[in-house]
Amino acid sequence: MQSAAPTLPVRQYKDELQFIERLSPHSFRIKKGFVPNMQVEGIFYVNSHLENLMMEELRHSCQSRGIGGFLPGVKQIANVASLPGIVGRSIGLPDVHSGYGFAIGNMAAFDMSNPEAVVSPGGVGFDINCGVRLLRTNLSEKDVAPVKDQLAQTLFNHIPVGVGSKGVIPMTATNLEEALEMGMDWSLREGYAWAEDKEHCEEYGRMLQANPNKVSSRAKKRGLPQLGTLGAGNHYAEIQVVDKIYDQHAARKMGVDHTGQVCVMIHSGSRGLGHQVATDALVSMERAMKRDNIIVNDRQLACARISSVEGQDYLQGMAAAANYAWVNRSSMTFLARQAFAKTFQSTPDDLDMQVIYDVSHNIAKVEEHYIDGKQKQLLVHRKGSTRAFPPHHPLIPVDYQLTGQPVLIGGTMGTCSYVLTGTEQGMQETFGTTCHGAGRALSRSKSRRNLNYEDVLEDLSKKGISIRVASPKLVMEEAPESYKNVTDVVETCHAAGISKMAIKLRPVAVIKG
């Protein structure tokens, strides 16, 4: 028995490969049988380089039986395909990588009419409604270049960043309750947002089923001091310039009309409040699974029937956390507008600092889609993925009806970002979903071991990028080497037809925790 052990991982790897089949130059199918109890097939999108990364991760898993406690992305996609009530396919986008329960970059839809269908916090993530907002300006790179360092410092001074940072937006317990219920309507009422901001925000910045009573006192305590803060990790505010325009018509609709135009990208979420909402739900759902005899392949896929008390409590609490995240990004938009106005001795209105769009990367929402030719109401989990609805969809703003929904893809620190638009093919294949960013290639701990933060900062400086960080040593975790190539990811989605490239942006200043 012992002498045969060394050959087992190779044989097991080959056995698992028989369940993976190429569908197209940019996609693979995970056939039923790859893991037990698969209700539907899986699919993942890759190009040749990303394919090698995925297969290497799978090979490593067969040899070591897991990486850092997480299953590789391919197996997580397959395990999600085994959840009760899932329809269509479990989908992995090109930036997919290991996460808690669901892979990050994994989406799945569940039939609301099926009493067995579940909701899983692992399909949303701990940073509920982590997302990206993009503002345009009427400034050009030549306007910013002489004051770039001053502007970066002013932005850093205005927006609280880093672990444990506290917001400058005055908040009371009553204010927080109202913000959790009202989302961006609260920001609008309090004067921290413009009316037009809401029109260019997914869900118009407010999930109506939000119930602050389903958010624990501990979560509220964590969230109260953090409103209007960037946080740490992969969150950032960047001053960017338009580097390339692929779709002139779509770009003009977004108010982008020339290369060199200056934009501001803000990436943040629901901070400690959202994390606590997810943590609380996982505890209650483990009890619900025992009661309802729900069997899953991975204990991290804790879930509850959508119609159960636990399922509804989570969805209402998650919606409140999502509203908090929109208020958070709105508050930082207010602060960014102030920073620009101060630097350029102007007003945000004169600088045309309009919101192009605000998208969610971690959220579960009820949507209508066609399954086998029939319109159904589905609970769509998007974790590390972005809604990308096509032209003429009723849920996107009037001014984007002819181009499709803007999709904001944040790059890694010091690399380019992209704006895409949704497509009809994406609606058919991925429930109107595409990638969300680069996706990690190295774990945070491996990044810290392999990289030197001084080298990372020096490299950014050589690229002409001003950077302001609260914790310099944390930048190793966010260095470009820690991530997949965001251009590989975006070009894969474009080539596969699930979204369409519109604009490329490059950073000139980065603000991080």
Side-chain angles (χ1 to χ4, degrees):
M1 180 69 76
Q2 287 224 343
S3 61
T7 63
L8 181 62
V10 176
R11 187 171 71 246
Q12 192 167 2
Y13 174 67
K14 289 180 179 177
D15 289 345
E16 291 183 331
L17 276 186
Q18 71 177 324
F19 291 97
I20 298 177
E21 175 185 73
R22 184 182 291 276
L23 282 180
S24 74
H26 299 97
S27 63
F28 284 82
R29 173 167 57 191
I30 307 169
K31 292 185 280 188
K32 289 183 180 180
F34 183 76
V35 298
N37 306 318
M38 286 178 70
Q39 307 295 306
V40 298
E41 294 181 327
I43 186 173
F44 59 91
Y45 293 86
V46 286
N47 64 7
S48 57
H49 182 232
L50 298 172
E51 175 189 339
N52 291 335
L53 289 175
M54 289 281 281
M55 295 309 178
E56 181 59 34
E57 188 184 49
L58 181 60
R59 185 182 297 110
H60 188 284
S61 169
C62 289
Q63 293 168 347
S64 67
R65 309 319 305 155
I67 303 169
F70 290 108
L71 294 170
V74 174
K75 286 200 168 181
Q76 288 192 303
I77 295 166
N79 280 337
V80 168
S82 71
L83 289 174
I86 188 171
V87 292
R89 293 183 286 200
S90 174
I91 296 165
L93 286 312
D95 48 343
V96 69
H97 58 286
S98 298
Y100 185 93
F102 280 55
I104 299 164
N106 190 183
M107 70 77 51
F110 296 82
D111 185 355
M112 298 282 289
S113 66
N114 182 346
E116 303 293 309
V118 298
V119 56
S120 175
V124 173
F126 285 95
D127 192 359
I128 295 167
N129 193 8
C130 179
V132 172
R133 173 174 293 204
L134 185 66
L135 314 177
R136 68 173 189 246
T137 75
N138 56 18
L139 298 165
S140 293
E141 187 172 12
K142 60 181 175 56
D143 301 316
V144 168
V147 294
K148 182 176 63 176
D149 289 337
Q150 177 191 341
L151 180 60
Q153 187 63 49
T154 305
L155 196 61
F156 186 74
N157 292 343
H158 276 67
I159 298 177
V161 302
V163 178
S165 55
K166 295 186 176 181
V168 295
I169 303 295
M171 287 296 290
T172 64
T174 301
N175 291 151
L176 180 62
E177 294 279 337
E178 293 171 345
L180 291 174
E181 181 179 353
M182 298 172 64
M184 280 182 64
D185 285 335
W186 182 86
S187 300
L188 191 59
R189 187 191 74 185
E190 299 296 316
Y192 298 118
W194 298 350
E196 306 94 298
D197 295 352
K198 183 181 168 182
E199 297 300 313
H200 287 171
C201 185
E202 196 170 323
E203 296 294 309
Y204 299 101
R206 179 179 186 178
M207 293 188 77
L208 297 176
Q209 68 268 47
N211 184 349
N213 294 327
K214 303 303 181 183
V215 177
S216 68
S217 57
R218 185 174 183 186
K220 290 172 183 174
K221 185 177 180 180
R222 292 181 68 179
L224 184 60
Q226 292 184 331
L227 203 54
T229 65
L230 195 62
N234 64 345
H235 294 162
Y236 60 78
E238 281 189 359
I239 302 166
Q240 303 173 335
V241 296
V242 176
D243 193 57
K244 190 171 184 179
I245 298 174
Y246 303 96
D247 186 332
Q248 293 283 352
H249 177 61
R252 280 196 297 271
K253 287 291 183 182
M254 298 176 205
V256 174
D257 55 14
H258 66 279
T259 56
Q261 186 171 341
V262 173
C263 297
V264 182
M265 183 174 279
I266 298 171
H267 177 206
S268 191
S270 51
R271 307 288 278 112
L273 182 140
H275 193 284
Q276 192 63 49
V277 167
T279 302
D280 293 341
L282 288 168
V283 173
S284 69
M285 286 188 180
E286 285 191 4
R287 293 194 295 266
M289 288 173 67
K290 291 177 182 175
R291 181 194 67 213
D292 296 336
N293 196 30
I294 300 172
I295 308 298
V296 295
N297 290 349
D298 177 5
R299 67 182 303 270
Q300 291 183 353
L301 288 172
C303 55
R305 308 279 186 227
I306 295 172
S307 57
S308 69
V309 171
E310 293 84 2
Q312 288 299 305
D313 283 355
Y314 170 69
L315 287 171
Q316 292 173 37
M318 181 214 68
N323 287 348
Y324 179 97
W326 279 313
V327 174
N328 193 34
R329 290 198 286 276
S330 294
S331 300
M332 285 185 282
T333 299
F334 172 78
L335 297 170
R337 284 167 172 160
Q338 283 192 324
F340 268 72
K342 182 176 181 179
T343 302
F344 290 99
Q345 297 295 299
S346 187
T347 67
D349 200 38
D350 288 340
L351 295 172
D352 193 32
M353 296 188 72
Q354 297 280 357
V355 173
I356 289 178
Y357 208 61
D358 180 303
V359 296
S360 307
H361 288 163
N362 290 349
I363 205 160
K365 292 191 298 189
V366 177
E367 297 174 0
E368 290 187 348
H369 293 271
Y370 283 92
I371 300 292
D372 299 326
K374 296 180 180 178
Q375 192 172 30
K376 284 187 171 282
Q377 206 170 51
L378 308 179
L379 181 63
V380 181
H381 294 61
R382 293 189 179 94
K383 179 181 181 181
S385 56
T386 315
R387 192 186 79 176
F389 281 172
H392 312 299
H393 195 285
L395 292 183
I396 61 176
V398 172
D399 34 350
Y400 299 139
Q401 281 290 308
L402 298 180
T403 60
Q405 177 204 309
V407 180
L408 311 177
I409 309 299
T412 59
M413 186 175 61
T415 68
C416 56
S417 297
Y418 289 88
V419 183
L420 316 181
T421 51
T423 65
E424 189 57 46
Q425 185 176 340
M427 200 67 179
Q428 303 303 321
E429 288 190 20
T430 64
F431 298 98
T433 308
T434 193
C435 62
H436 88 303
R440 294 198 74 87
L442 299 177
S443 68
R444 295 185 185 278
S445 58
K446 197 168 185 179
S447 297
R448 289 193 297 270
R449 287 196 305 270
N450 293 2
L451 302 172
N452 181 292
Y453 78 93
E454 292 174 338
D455 293 339
V456 175
L457 294 176
E458 184 180 348
D459 184 56
L460 290 172
S461 180
K462 286 178 180 176
K463 292 178 181 176
I465 300 171
S466 289
I467 181 163
R468 299 292 184 276
V469 291
S471 307
K473 292 185 179 180
L474 292 182
V475 302
M476 295 178 293
E477 300 177 4
E478 302 305 318
E481 296 90 337
S482 301
Y483 285 83
K484 298 174 183 178
N485 185 319
V486 68
T487 301
D488 271 342
V489 171
V490 166
E491 288 180 347
T492 300
C493 292
H494 180 85
I498 60 174
S499 50
K500 183 181 176 185
M501 295 166 68
I503 301 168
K504 179 182 179 183
L505 302 151
R506 60 177 170 82
V508 295
V510 183
I511 311 302
K512 284 190 72 71

